[in-house]
Amino acid sequence: MSTSVVEIEHAGAHEATLITRRDLRTEMAQRLPAAVQPFLSWLTARPAPEEAEAEHSPMHFVHQGCLLVVAGLSFGVLWTIVPMVPGALLLFVSLTLTTSGLGVFQVVVFHHCAHGTVFRTRERNRTVGRLISAVFLFKHFDHYRKEHMHHHSARKLLTEEDEFADFVLGMCRLEPELPKRELWRRVLVNVVSSPGFHVRFLLRRFRAAMRSHDPQHNIVAMVALVIPALASALTGHALAFLVIWFLPLTLFLQWATIGRILCEHRFPEPALIAARDKEFVCLATAGVFPGAPLPQEPACSPTGLAAWCGWWMNMLTVQLLVRVIVLVGDAPCHDFHHRRPSTKQWTDYIHARQRDVDSGCPGFPLNYGETWGLLRAIDENLATLSTTPRGALPIWPL
């Protein structure tokens, strides 16, 4: 039995290597119509060869987050007044858009405000960051910014002071040296499906937003949550409030956060963790791109047609939902962000990362690595944690 598991793991690693070597995005550009290339560039977060760059201002993402949340809530209101069958579709769209908008605020706007690259002045970045952290129940912006700067330090990454390590090793109770199968079990049972985990996660958010060092921040957080809840209860719409706003704000956003964080970083060899040099930074993260290998058969045969239909179905359902809910904004290019954390080119992250790849990533000993597919990326990261000795990483108390 153990031999078959090892063979499967080796086969999976070999398949991942082949996928990387094939350069899936170039294949998509060569084998699919030009009309779908802009969509594929956004979906996969990888540009087609020689694709024109797309200029965006930071405000593009602020507006995107606002529009997604407003559109999601609007569809949610429609859900409350239409018949059941079309209403179910409206509710699905509502929850998807609202969760996506919250993710854009969390991953893009709030995050880059901490780097001071959304607005022109430090004060404006801080003001907007504090407002976002209060309204959406995030960690107080000032604390987040300090911890996030530690996260970007090679000396702090994967230590007790690292927010990523605190979440994965502390909050999620994932431990080095455990078999990968056990790590997956903890992810699926204890993290994804456990009510207790999500209650702890939510209480942690409540404490961070409402019991911070800043009384004004605490008041804004409580008002932003209590006033809409009270108004909906008094008008007889408490259920609608819970479903179309509180559910995306809590459970759905937390699910998305778990998936995104688990794929962000991997655990290099102990010697590299101890060295904490630029090679450690290179190997501690990789690009994670939504997508799957194209079928090798042409669509003119029944087998090929079925394979292509399955590929498009996967891209327009699973991969699209991953992109819209989990890997929002520049999250697929998290490796670029760690190598160039202060760049203002993050607004066109798709092409900025590719330019860095094509130039050989000056200043770093290794070029970029990549993984295609969220689950594959999480699997690879858990595999590196499984082979990491306990002494190489901090131990969180239960």
Side-chain angles (χ1 to χ4, degrees), residues 352-385:
R353 181 187 183 278
Q354 191 60 44
R355 283 197 306 271
D356 218 17
V357 170
D358 294 340
S359 63
C361 195
F364 287 86
L366 298 174
N367 211 331
Y368 290 85
E370 64 183 47
T371 300
W372 284 80
L374 175 66
L375 293 181
R376 184 183 298 278
I378 295 175
D379 185 73
E380 291 177 4
N381 291 2
L382 293 181
T384 63
L385 179 59

Side-chain angles (χ1 to χ4, degrees), residues 21-74:
R21 289 176 180 172
R22 282 175 58 186
D23 192 352
L24 301 189
R25 187 64 187 94
T26 299
E27 282 193 35
M28 293 178 191
Q30 293 171 345
R31 300 178 62 189
L32 294 171
V36 302
Q37 296 306 320
F39 169 73
L40 290 174
S41 294
W42 168 79
L43 176 61
T44 65
R46 282 283 309 275
E50 301 181 2
E51 180 181 273
E53 297 183 9
E55 294 185 4
H56 295 299
S57 73
M59 290 305 297
H60 166 83
F61 297 94
V62 178
H63 298 155
Q64 182 184 81
C66 291
L67 287 173
L68 285 168
V69 170
V70 170
L73 294 178
S74 300

Side-chain angles (χ1 to χ4, degrees), residues 19 24 28 44 289-295 311 314-315 319 372-373:
I19 289 173
L24 301 189
M28 293 178 191
T44 65
F289 305 118
L294 278 74
W311 184 83
N314 176 38
M315 294 293 285
Q319 306 303 334
W372 284 80

